[in-house]
């Protein structure tokens, strides 16, 4: 029989497409297609780890790592609302969330960064869709999880060095106790925030106090006077910075050590599932946008581009799923349709296109693209719960930068236009409504109500 006798039918859950992303870099466009393809293959009733081998389980760590990216690609409100029922059903009697949900018989639970999905996923759904019901429904389960984490610290507030660690990191060994304690702090802070949302001020104060105590214990146990964190891996610095675990005086030294680590690897990442989730956003937050773009455009091992250069049509489970030197990795665990490393998709929308929400439900927007060499134009759309947000920026033949955006009805945005203090910033569309506020760290900042706007940035005398 010829190939034309076979029909392939793609199965996936009913999660309507809400996002699109395209840019001047063909590799980046392939990466985005691979992210979406891998999500479709794995979102079948539950968020599975991979669709092709004898596993197909709802791994909790993978889900929390990827949930925010998933929400930019498709409408996952109902999908994760349903799955969170599975998560709570699978919670162990001691309060530990399971490693997979629905729970496989006799499988352990309570694993750092995996069990934390029971807090992170509902919080993310709330942030994206403004749904407080998912928080209220699972608040008790989240409290049990924090109690479990606290009870397993043996009084020091430092979680044990057990679990999966920074799963499938490459040539880096992040200490499991550092990772676990960081996630304990992060989930505790989120539960404090959730308590505020639900109108429980006493709970909020109690969990905030616990977070502060964990933060202090983390610094005492793991952070040296020069900013070195135990393990000295990219992931330990990413987690400490992303989860606000460091005092202000230690943030700059830790940020420098993160960039130095990447530089020492000839500008390559070493992060596994856990570290990769927050790596790119953390680099932007510390002012290392050029480093983030370098990682994004890399085509040598290990990188997203390396897999694409070697034929990837989906996201690989391992950075070294196949290499010219060693061929295929262990066939017992070597998926080529695993979405975790596809979490970079969130960065593409939030930091390249500059689309983000300030508070729950995309009612107040932050539009703030981050520019660096390697892209001449991008175009992204996101159908938020409040309507479609559009962002397109490009350089014309004169190297003048343009940015056209649409802010949906009944929302407002703070708009950050990348510029220097010596550049001219003009509003060629929507000038009657965009109001200049201030200049801040490489951006001209405007307030804008719903509507369509176009900004132009060129050399010359500044004019906002």
């Amino acid at each position: 029989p010829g190939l034309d006798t076979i029909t392939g039918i793609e199965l996936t859950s009913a999660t309507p497409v809400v996002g699109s992303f395209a840019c001047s870099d063909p590799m980046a466009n392939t990466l985005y297609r691979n992210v979406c393809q891998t999500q479709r293959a794995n979102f079948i009733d539950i968020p599975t780890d991979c669709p092709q081998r004898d596993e197909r389980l709802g791994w909790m760590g993978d889900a929390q790592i990827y949930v925010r990216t998933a929400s930019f690609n498709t409408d996952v409100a109902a999908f994760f609302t349903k799955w969170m029922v599975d998560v709570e059903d699978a919670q162990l009697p001691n309060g530990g969330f399971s490693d997979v949900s629905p729970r496989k018989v006799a499988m352990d639970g309570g694993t750092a960064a995996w069990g934390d999905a029971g807090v992170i996923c509902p919080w993310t759904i709330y942030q994206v869709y403004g749904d407080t019901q998912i928080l209220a429904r699972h608040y008790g389960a989240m409290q049990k999880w924090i109690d479990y984490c606290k009870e397993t610290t043996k009084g020091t507030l430092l979680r044990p060095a057990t679990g999966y660690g920074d799963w499938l990191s490459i040539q880096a060994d992040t200490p499991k106790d550092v990772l676990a304690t960081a996630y304990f702090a992060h989930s505790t802070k989120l539960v404090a925030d959730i308590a505020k949302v639900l109108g429980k001020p006493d709970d909020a104060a109690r969990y905030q106090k616990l977070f502060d105590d964990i933060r202090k214990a983390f610094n005492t146990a793991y952070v040296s006077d020069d900013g070195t964190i135990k393990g000295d891996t990219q992931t330990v610095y990413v987690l400490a910075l992303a989860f606000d675990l460091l005092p202000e005086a230690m943030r700059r030294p830790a940020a420098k050590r993160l960039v130095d680590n990447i530089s020492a690897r000839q500008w390559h990442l070493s992060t596994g599932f856990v570290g990769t989730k927050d790596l790119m956003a953390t680099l932007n937050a510390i002012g290392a946008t050029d480093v983030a773009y370098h990682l994004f455009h890399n085509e040598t091992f290990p990188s997203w581009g390396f897999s694409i250069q070697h034929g990837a049509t989906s996201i690989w489970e391992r950075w070294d799923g196949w290499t010219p030197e060693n061929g295929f990795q262990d066939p017992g665990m070597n998926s080529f349709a695993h979405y975790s490393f596809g979490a970079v998709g969130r960065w593409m929308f939030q930091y390249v296109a500059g689309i983000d929400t300030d508070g729950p439900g995309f009612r107040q927007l932050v539009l703030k693209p981050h520019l660096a060499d390697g892209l001449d134009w991008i175009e992204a759309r996101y159908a938020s719960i409040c309507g479609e947000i559009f962002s397109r920026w490009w350089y014309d033949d004169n190297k003048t930068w343009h940015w056209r955006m649409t802010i949906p009805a009944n929302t407002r945005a703070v708009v950050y236009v990348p510029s220097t203090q010596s550049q001219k910033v003009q509003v060629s569309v929507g000038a009657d409504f965009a109001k200049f506020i201030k200049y801040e760290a490489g951006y001209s900042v405007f307030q804008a109500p719903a509507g369509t706007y176009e900004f132009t940035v060129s050399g010359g005398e500044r004019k906002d």
Side-chain angles (χ1 to χ4, degrees):
L3 290 178
D4 59 353
T5 65
I6 300 171
T7 300
I9 302 174
E10 185 176 56
L11 300 179
T12 191
S13 285
T15 55
V17 174
V18 295
S20 65
F21 180 95
C23 67
S24 58
D25 182 355
M27 187 280 290
N29 293 332
T30 299
L31 173 60
Y32 179 67
R33 287 195 298 271
N34 290 359
V35 169
C36 295
Q37 174 62 29
T38 308
Q39 180 175 323
R40 285 194 299 272
N42 280 290
F43 275 32
I44 304 179
D45 187 54
I46 63 173
T48 59
D49 55 331
C50 55
Q52 81 292 342
R53 68 184 183 218
D54 187 16
E55 188 170 349
R56 296 181 291 277
L57 299 174
W59 280 97
M60 297 269 281
D62 305 46
Q64 69 90 359
I65 287 161
Y66 186 76
V67 58
R68 191 65 180 84
T69 299
S71 71
F72 272 119
N73 295 334
T74 68
D75 182 345
V76 294
F79 182 82
F80 274 95
T81 297
K82 177 268 174 191
W83 184 64
M84 276 305 303
V85 177
D86 296 335
V87 170
E88 185 164 344
D89 285 347
Q91 191 171 23
L92 299 166
N94 63 5
F97 282 118
S98 58
D99 292 345
V100 299
S101 296
R103 182 160 61 94
K104 188 176 179 180
V105 175
M107 181 167 252
D108 293 334
T111 303
W114 271 250
D116 294 280
V119 175
I120 294 170
C121 288
W123 174 254
T124 303
I125 296 303
Y126 164 70
Q127 286 291 304
V128 175
Y129 303 105
D131 175 22
T132 59
Q133 294 183 73
I134 194 170
L135 301 181
R137 180 170 188 172
H138 302 290
Y139 182 67
M142 297 182 213
Q143 289 182 296
K144 292 177 183 176
W145 169 248
I146 300 302
D147 289 343
Y148 166 81
C149 291
K150 187 176 180 181
E151 289 167 3
T152 53
T153 63
K154 298 181 180 178
T156 63
L157 296 181
L158 305 176
R159 294 291 310 281
T162 58
Y164 306 113
D166 189 23
W167 187 246
L168 297 181
S169 59
I170 195 79
Q171 298 171 354
D173 187 13
T174 294
K176 293 178 180 179
D177 56 339
V178 178
L179 183 151
T181 304
Y183 261 88
F184 178 25
H186 182 53
S187 283
T188 301
K189 183 64 171 70
L190 291 185
V191 173
D193 293 339
I194 290 166
K196 291 179 186 177
V197 172
L198 297 178
K200 301 177 183 293
D202 292 344
D203 283 2
R206 178 162 53 90
Y207 288 118
Q208 180 63 46
K209 173 64 165 56
L210 178 57
F211 167 75
D212 293 340
D213 291 343
I214 302 167
R215 190 174 187 258
K216 182 178 180 180
F218 181 93
N219 281 273
T220 300
Y222 304 134
V223 183
S224 300
D225 292 341
D226 64 353
T228 304
I229 300 175
K230 179 183 175 181
D232 198 29
T233 65
Q234 293 174 20
T235 293
V236 298
Y237 297 109
V238 167
L239 296 181
L241 291 162
F243 294 169
D244 191 24
L245 300 182
L246 300 174
E248 190 60 36
M250 287 293 102
R251 288 186 63 85
R252 187 181 296 273
K256 183 179 185 302
R257 294 198 70 85
L258 171 60
V259 174
D260 287 348
N261 188 297
I262 295 171
S263 172
R265 294 172 182 268
Q266 288 73 54
W267 304 104
H268 287 82
L269 53 73
S270 65
T271 49
F273 281 15
V274 177
T276 301
K277 174 190 176 184
D278 295 300
L279 171 64
M280 303 291 272
T282 299
L283 289 170
N284 283 111
I286 64 175
T289 295
D290 57 333
V291 179
Y293 269 92
H294 198 133
L295 297 179
F296 184 60
H297 291 299
N298 269 348
E299 295 181 354
T300 53
F301 178 81
S303 66
W304 291 282
F306 173 82
S307 65
I308 291 168
Q309 286 296 308
H310 292 89
T313 57
S314 51
I315 301 298
W316 292 2
E317 178 180 22
R318 297 173 174 267
W319 295 118
D320 59 351
W322 182 89
T323 62
E325 298 80 10
N326 300 317
F328 290 103
Q329 254 284 4
D330 175 11
M333 200 194 82
N334 191 27
S335 167
F336 289 92
H338 227 89
Y339 53 61
S340 294
F341 287 138
V344 68
R346 172 185 181 177
W347 178 82
M348 295 165 73
F349 277 95
Q350 286 185 318
Y351 292 90
V352 180
I355 298 173
D356 204 359
T357 182
D358 183 10
F362 283 87
R363 289 171 175 80
Q364 177 69 44
L365 310 181
V366 175
L367 301 179
K368 187 178 183 179
H370 292 68
L371 308 184
D373 293 340
L375 291 180
D376 298 322
W377 63 267
I378 71 96
E379 181 173 308
R381 298 177 185 271
Y382 173 61
S384 77
I385 194 73
C386 289
E388 183 173 277
I389 304 164
F390 173 77
S391 176
R392 180 177 188 269
W393 59 255
W394 70 97
Y395 292 95
D396 64 20
D397 292 340
N398 297 320
K399 302 301 181 182
T400 298
W401 188 78
H402 303 265
W403 183 22
R404 176 175 282 262
M405 73 192 67
T406 299
I407 301 167
N410 301 314
T411 69
R412 298 184 64 85
V414 178
V415 179
Y416 291 78
V417 181
S419 58
T420 66
Q421 288 186 299
S422 63
Q423 288 179 307
K424 182 186 294 184
V425 180
Q426 293 180 307
V427 190
S428 54
V429 177
D432 295 337
F433 302 101
K435 179 183 177 183
F436 175 75
I437 307 172
K438 59 183 176 179
Y439 179 80
E440 176 185 298
Y443 289 90
S444 297
V445 186
F446 293 78
Q447 283 184 339
T452 296
Y453 302 85
E454 186 172 316
F455 293 87
T456 302
V457 179
S458 57
E461 184 180 352
R462 179 176 177 76
K463 181 182 179 182
D464 295 311

